[in-house]
Amino acid sequence: MTLRLPGADGGLRSYEPRSEPLALTPGTPFTSRTVFSAAHVVADPYADVSPDSPAALDWDATLAFRRHLWSHGLGVAEAMDTAQRGMGLDWAGAAELVRRSAAEARSVGGRIACGVGTDQITGGSLERIRAAYEEQLAVVEESGARAILMASRALVAAARSPEDYLDVYGHLLRQSSEPVILHWLGPMFDPALKGYWGSSDLDAATGTFLEVVAAHPDKVDGVKISLLDAQREIDLRRRLPPGVRCYTGDDFHYPELIAGDEKGFSHALLGIFDPLGPLAAEAVRVLDTGDTAGFRELLDPTVELSRHLFQAPTRFYKTGVVFLAWLAGHQTHFTMVGGLQSARSLPHFARAYELADRLGLFPDPKLAEERMKNLLSLYGVNR
């Protein structure tokens, strides 16, 4: 069966889907890297909601996807950007997601870390921002999960100097019961975070970020860098105190950053590992054997798909992630909280399907093909 897929030029091209998926099965835990996949949420397609309503989730499908990731040895980074925090998922929904996912992790022995932010408020004083962080930190710690201190829109709006960041983060780290992961999310993922750490100059911002880590190395498990700048991440990780991990959040350069060099490597906390889960897990197990070339051979071909999903405006990458989850059979529909399924074009979806299919990511290629045909038909293609 040949599909006619729309291209960015406005025309149609022929594509012949592959007939067999990659043969990827669950395997042993990783030994050389700590790897988290930031996981998407599955909307309830029958909920009578509007784009600005509180999120309505399909809990069974949402938790089943997390079990899928855990079965392949990946950790789950919960209630993060990939789960549409601040783009359809409010704090009430995120808190419930944290509690349910943490309980599910305990039941299957899965690794989990959860996002802590300030999205229950829209602004206010530094004191109010600290209190918002504290409320979310308490929920995550009570669930038994590791905390990820996420960047705060409220903090970047209220802070007047780098010292304000040092004060807020220092306060939170002193009171955290376990080491946390610090997350620096760049403005390409959220334009409201421009100037985080007190400066739009990335060198100055990096200095403040590292100052926070250096002041509390015993309370920082690691740092997650999402700036899409490989050299900056490498330079930063070489300046981290001993024992503090660098988790790459670079969805453009992750193979070389995870592989590392003679001076070190990055662990991973990536949104692209949501659709790549089984393949990424297989690659890391190859790396565990010391076979860096084999690792790169498996993972390098996935970068084209990742760059496509994360193309500007990067914050809409979640749409492509959920689209691929639907094609792969992890959910029965392509509906997203906040109506975000409308955030990408049909040519974008067509290219995502083609790239994922070539990689063998769909467990049932025929199902993916039929669902792609249905989407094309909805848009008036192939009728």
Side-chain angles (χ1 to χ4, degrees):
M1 177 70 183
T2 299
L3 292 181
R4 295 166 67 220
L5 299 178
D9 61 357
L12 295 173
R13 66 184 186 280
S14 295
Y15 176 69
E16 185 174 347
R18 66 183 290 161
S19 58
E20 298 294 333
L22 287 178
L24 299 171
T25 58
T28 57
F30 311 138
T31 58
S32 64
R33 304 290 189 274
T34 300
V35 180
F36 290 94
S37 167
H40 75 279
V41 293
V42 183
D44 178 355
Y46 303 121
D48 186 12
V49 295
S50 64
D52 56 358
S53 298
L57 300 186
D58 179 337
W59 290 109
D60 289 341
T62 294
L63 295 176
F65 187 76
R66 281 134 183 82
R67 291 193 296 273
H68 156 72
L69 294 173
W70 284 318
S71 74
H72 286 276
L74 297 160
V76 168
E78 188 57 277
M80 300 289 290
D81 189 53
T82 306
Q84 293 182 242
R85 285 293 289 273
M87 290 186 70
L89 184 67
D90 61 10
W91 166 236
E96 182 68 11
L97 180 63
V98 166
R99 295 185 182 103
R100 288 181 182 242
S101 291
E104 198 73 18
R106 288 194 299 274
S107 73
V108 301
R111 184 191 295 266
I112 188 168
C114 299
V116 171
T118 64
D119 47 329
Q120 72 273 50
I121 63 173
T122 56
S125 66
L126 294 178
E127 291 75 15
R128 188 175 184 225
I129 292 165
R130 283 198 298 267
Y133 264 127
E134 289 170 345
E135 177 189 355
Q136 296 199 16
L137 180 61
V139 169
V140 171
E141 291 191 334
E142 287 166 5
S143 77
R146 184 174 297 282
I148 304 171
L149 293 187
M150 300 192 299
S152 163
R153 293 174 180 173
L155 179 54
V156 76
R160 295 294 173 262
S161 68
E163 286 69 28
D164 288 338
Y165 290 88
L166 296 172
D167 174 71
V168 169
Y169 277 89
H171 176 83
L172 295 168
L173 289 170
R174 284 190 294 272
Q175 72 178 47
S176 63
S177 61
E178 298 289 340
V180 308
I181 298 171
L182 298 180
H183 184 192
W184 184 359
L185 189 69
M188 65 289 295
F189 290 95
D190 186 346
L193 297 176
K194 185 176 181 180
Y196 213 77
W197 304 111
S199 179
S200 295
D201 181 317
L202 289 179
D203 290 336
T206 298
T208 302
F209 183 58
L210 288 170
E211 191 173 343
V212 171
V213 177
H216 308 275
D218 58 324
K219 287 296 188 74
V220 180
D221 165 85
V223 300
K224 178 186 186 293
I225 311 301
S226 298
L227 298 176
L228 303 183
D229 184 332
Q231 190 57 53
R232 183 168 294 279
E233 178 176 320
I234 292 169
D235 293 342
L236 188 151
R237 81 184 181 202
R238 290 175 180 172
R239 297 169 63 186
L240 291 173
V244 176
R245 297 181 178 95
C246 179
Y247 293 94
T248 187
D250 189 330
D251 300 278
F252 286 3
H253 308 98
Y254 50 94
E256 59 259 43
L257 290 166
I258 297 170
D261 54 30
E262 68 282 358
K263 295 183 179 179
F265 56 82
S266 294
H267 300 270
L269 199 165
L270 288 161
I272 190 57
F273 279 7
D274 180 303
L276 292 184
L279 178 55
E282 181 67 20
V284 175
R285 289 192 185 93
V286 170
L287 185 61
D288 286 345
T289 69
D291 184 1
T292 302
F295 166 80
R296 295 293 300 270
E297 184 177 349
L298 282 172
L299 213 55
D300 281 359
T302 69
V303 173
E304 185 178 6
L305 171 63
S306 188
R307 286 177 175 262
H308 177 72
L309 296 182
F310 285 79
Q311 68 183 224
T314 302
R315 63 188 180 278
F316 294 128
Y317 76 87
K318 299 93 161 171
T319 299
V321 165
V322 176
F323 170 67
L324 293 182
W326 171 56
L327 293 184
H330 294 297
Q331 53 196 80
T332 60
H333 60 85
F334 180 35
T335 303
M336 298 177 67
V337 298
L340 205 64
Q341 68 271 13
S342 65
R344 293 294 200 188
S345 68
L346 184 62
H348 181 89
F349 293 136
R351 183 61 174 161
Y353 163 72
E354 181 180 357
L355 292 171
D357 183 66
R358 286 178 177 175
L359 290 169
L361 294 184
F362 301 128
D364 184 344
K366 192 64 179 176
L367 174 66
E369 179 186 336
E370 288 300 317
R371 289 185 170 180
M372 189 67 216
K373 285 168 59 180
N374 287 339
L375 184 69
L376 291 167
S377 178
L378 181 67
Y379 279 80
V381 181
N382 291 335
R383 281 187 171 178

